Amino acid sequence: MIEKTAKTPSGTRAVVTVIGEDKVGIIAAVAVILAEANANILDITQSIMQEFFVMIMMTDLAGLNIPFDELKARLNRKGVDMELKIDIQREDVFKLMHRV
Amino acid sequence: MSFSAISPQEIIETIRMVQMEKLDIRTITMGISLRDCASGSLADFHRQIYDKICRMAERLTRVGDEIEREYGMPIINKRISVTPLAIVAEGVAKSPDDFVAIAATLDRAAAAMGVNFLGGFSALVHKGATPGDAALMASIPQALATTERVCSSVNIGSTKAGINMDAVAEMGRVIKAAAQATASTHGLGAAKLVVFCNAVEDNPFMAGAFHGIGEPDCVINVGVSGPGVVLRAVEAAPDADFGEIASIIKRTAFKITRMGELVGRAASERLGVPFGIVDLSLAPTPAQGDSVARILEAMGLERVGTHGSTAALALLNDAVKKGGAMASSHVGGLSGAFIPVSEDIGMIEAAAMGAITFDKLEAMTAVCSVGLDMIAIPGDTPAETIAAMIADEAAIGMINRKTTAVRLIPAPGTKVGDWVEFGGLLGRAPVMPVNLHASTGFIARGGRIPAPIQALNN
């Protein structure tokens, strides 16, 4: 994956996940919320989990201009609006679970 | 480590485990020493324990909720354990009534801190009871009937000390009285009372948690869960032999325990309290898909309780420990698979149809953590029979150098086949038949069963 991710300090990164039916405008909608909060998108991948569409965005929250909880609430609300499940979690969860 | 090391598959796997397979952190339990509260008058003692609990745990639920939001990992319970009250209150509390009042203060502190359970209304009497121990034990039925959140435990045996049969006899009576004092809620009081052999000092799970005397002033212990995750992994390998099944369970237990380690360290850092241990137990809930029984059934048993169940549980329990031990620097507590009846949908079904019996449950406790757990028995079961059940279970623990426990509910007014509802995580259970032949003469003997020899292990 892309090079710049290796340079951002660990601990400020978070993973945005979007789960649901694929539709127009998902990336745009999430990207706007992240941009408004000054969160930098480092990488985007898409995948299929069982029958669901899954989009994963790695973000860097080092310059975040709102509290984490507020960003999470905004993403959750957008998910409800778009009939998707949108969430954000600190990256450590994923990193630690699969590695010693 | 950069993001490039995490694959999208791994991210999806984590999300699937949480959202579809009910992976969660079952409890963050703050252990608090009350030893520095043992001075002054009884009134001072009440004030000191209340203040200390509130001072140490002030931010516990807030930090727990914060970690849950940030990591997206459900944290089901925030709880508190304290130094066994019989030890710290003995100097000021002289009567059972004094101890009932102390339980009320603990209940108020737990409510003020927003935790659903507080453990440590406990006594350690494996070799013998002091006057304070005896007063606390006598106060248990009333203490549990008049409080909501207080949990009680009594250690009546150990591999090093043997089994205190006087205490066993007493706890038979106490369990029965605790159920009778809470008859209106089907004996719920007895569901908050655990009788241990080889009790551990850092168990984060209720009702048996207490803050051991070798522990620091304050500590964070974490209990992980995730039977659903293990179930799915086992179900996905219908043709695997037992070597492969063990590997699959080990890998899964590793991942579950890593989450406990992460949450424990985050909580410890944010609260400024040392991190104790991760208890890597498989703790079922009555929810569909959150059952340990189903894992054994997925290994090829028609119903849990049939022949082969003990072997299946032994494999599961050992593989969980092996996988979990790799995932955390400090594993402790009870660490194993729990087989409570009322809290596990597969166990409830098997008990209702007679596939699993009281005696088979006893056999299964020889190879798992922890013991005869959340079993409803007829309300007219004699106290001596309950004591004899405790003695059997303690003997398994004493000889096998492991923790065993008894949490039985002689539900008042019930007969075999009746249903008992406890609600919430405690679930529901059919009243199971027990052996009707008396153990009265055996329990009446009293004294101690000597500690076992630690060699010639066959």
Side-chain angles (χ1 to χ4, degrees):
Chain A
M1 288 187 193
I2 46 182
E3 232 356 76
K4 66 174 175 176
T5 59
K7 291 176 192 148
T8 59
S10 184
T12 63
R13 289 195 295 255
V15 177
V16 176
T17 51
V18 181
I19 304 174
E21 210 174 295
D22 196 8
K23 58 182 74 170
V24 174
I26 296 178
I27 293 182
V30 174
V32 166
I33 293 173
L34 292 172
E36 281 171 3
N38 200 36
N40 188 24
I41 299 172
L42 303 173
D43 192 21
I44 301 179
T45 56
Q46 297 188 16
S47 186
I48 300 292
M49 173 173 73
Q50 280 147 21
E51 69 274 30
F52 294 109
F53 161 80
V54 183
M55 188 190 75
I56 299 163
M57 270 184 187
M58 178 56 78
T59 62
D60 182 6
L61 307 184
L64 200 65
N65 59 17
I66 54 171
F68 181 91
D69 282 355
E70 175 57 26
L71 175 59
K72 187 182 182 87
R74 288 183 192 178
L75 289 166
N76 292 164
R77 272 200 303 274
K78 178 57 74 179
V80 173
D81 291 348
M82 298 185 74
E83 295 177 328
L84 296 162
K85 186 158 175 54
I86 307 181
D87 206 356
I88 183 164
Q89 291 162 267
R90 297 226 177 256
E91 177 210 31
D92 314 10
V93 174
F94 305 102
K95 210 163 68 179
L96 268 167
M97 177 178 264
H98 304 280
R99 307 275 184 278
V100 176
Chain B
M1 193 191 297
S2 75
F3 178 45
S4 57
I6 316 174
S7 73
Q9 282 69 35
E10 287 173 334
I11 290 177
I12 289 170
E13 183 184 350
T14 303
I15 289 167
R16 196 192 64 216
M17 286 161 94
V18 173
Q19 301 204 343
M20 298 183 179
E21 296 159 10
K22 298 188 172 62
L23 170 62
D24 56 48
I25 303 299
R26 187 52 50 82
T27 180
I28 298 181
T29 302
M30 175 181 272
I32 303 172
S33 168
L34 298 182
R35 280 156 59 186
D36 54 348
C37 303
S39 66
S41 66
L42 182 57
D44 291 337
F45 182 76
H46 277 272
R47 187 171 39 74
Q48 281 162 181
I49 59 173
Y50 184 88
D51 289 350
K52 173 118 192 227
I53 291 168
C54 294
R55 190 168 73 245
M56 303 313 267
E58 191 187 2
R59 293 191 300 125
L60 176 63
T61 52
R62 192 163 9 117
V63 165
D65 293 344
E66 193 179 286
I67 292 171
E68 170 165 352
R69 285 196 301 275
E70 286 185 25
Y71 292 101
M73 185 63 55
I75 299 169
I76 308 300
N77 298 298
K78 276 72 82 177
R79 291 168 171 173
I80 295 171
S81 65
V82 296
T83 316
L85 261 297
I87 296 173
V88 287
E90 189 164 44
V92 290
K94 301 300 179 192
S95 70
D97 286 348
D98 289 345
F99 275 100
V100 172
I102 288 169
T105 297
L106 294 173
D107 205 38
R108 277 197 300 122
M113 295 300 95
V115 299
N116 59 353
F117 284 121
L118 180 152
F121 195 73
S122 306
L124 310 176
V125 297
H126 35 280
K127 200 79 167 283
T130 65
D133 292 327
L136 181 136
M137 286 158 71
S139 78
I140 288 172
Q142 196 57 24
L144 295 180
T146 52
T147 58
E148 186 188 339
R149 296 174 163 87
V150 173
C151 291
S152 179
S153 55
V154 175
N155 193 61
I156 51 79
S158 77
T159 301
K160 294 259 168 67
I163 301 172
N164 177 351
M165 289 298 290
D166 294 323
V168 167
E170 171 68 6
M171 289 314 293
R173 292 188 289 270
V174 168
I175 288 175
K176 192 149 179 181
Q180 273 162 358
T182 49
S184 60
T185 49
H186 313 293
L188 185 65
K192 297 183 286 181
L193 171 60
V194 184
V195 183
F196 278 115
C197 177
N198 289 324
V200 294
E201 300 204 325
D202 51 7
N203 163 26
F205 286 100
M206 294 297 168
F210 63 85
H211 186 71
I213 51 168
E215 296 283 310
D217 193 45
C218 189
V219 71
I220 287 293
N221 296 320
V222 170
V224 296
S225 187
V229 183
V230 175
L231 173 62
R232 185 183 159 101
V234 172
E235 277 176 345
D239 301 319
D241 75 4
F242 286 114
E244 291 169 60
I245 288 284
S247 288
I248 289 166
I249 295 170
K250 277 194 286 185
R251 276 200 298 275
T252 311
F254 173 86
K255 292 173 185 179
I256 295 169
T257 309
R258 288 301 274 179
M259 290 303 96
E261 172 93 358
L262 172 69
V263 166
R265 294 215 173 272
S268 148
E269 197 183 307
R270 289 171 195 212
L271 290 164
V273 167
F275 175 50
I277 54 95
V278 178
D279 187 322
L280 46 96
S281 292
L282 289 184
T285 71
Q288 200 63 252
D290 208 16
S291 157
V292 168
R294 291 276 187 265
I295 300 172
L296 308 184
E297 290 169 359
M299 287 189 208
L301 301 170
E302 185 183 350
R303 278 289 171 183
V304 68
T306 189
H307 304 290
S309 298
T310 309
L313 183 58
L315 178 147
L316 172 66
N317 200 57
D318 183 63
V320 164
K321 284 181 202 177
K322 285 171 177 164
M326 278 292 287
S328 171
S329 327
H330 298 286
V331 171
L334 299 170
S335 285
F338 292 172
I339 52 167
V341 174
S342 74
E343 300 173 350
D344 184 316
I345 185 76
M347 285 288 178
I348 295 168
E349 286 177 13
M353 66 175 59
I356 195 159
T357 61
F358 194 97
D359 294 346
K360 186 63 175 180
L361 282 163
E362 182 185 314
M364 289 166 73
T365 64
V367 298
C368 81
S369 126
V370 169
L372 296 169
D373 197 11
M374 290 304 289
I375 303 172
I377 57 175
D380 61 359
T381 306
E384 292 81 5
T385 299
I386 297 171
M389 291 165 175
I390 296 171
D392 281 345
E393 194 58 32
I396 290 172
M398 175 182 76
I399 296 294
N400 294 303
R401 300 175 216 91
K402 71 185 285 291
T403 306
T404 49
V406 168
R407 185 163 54 146
L408 299 172
I409 299 101
T414 61
K415 300 184 302 296
V416 170
D418 290 349
W419 282 85
V420 181
E421 300 269 353
F422 302 111
L425 278 180
L426 295 172
R428 63 198 292 266
V431 175
M432 293 176 82
V434 302
N435 198 312
L436 297 176
H437 297 281
S439 314
T440 320
F442 181 74
I443 294 304
R445 285 180 186 274
R448 285 187 280 135
I449 293 179
I453 196 161
Q454 295 282 342
L456 314 173
N457 286 324
N458 286 309

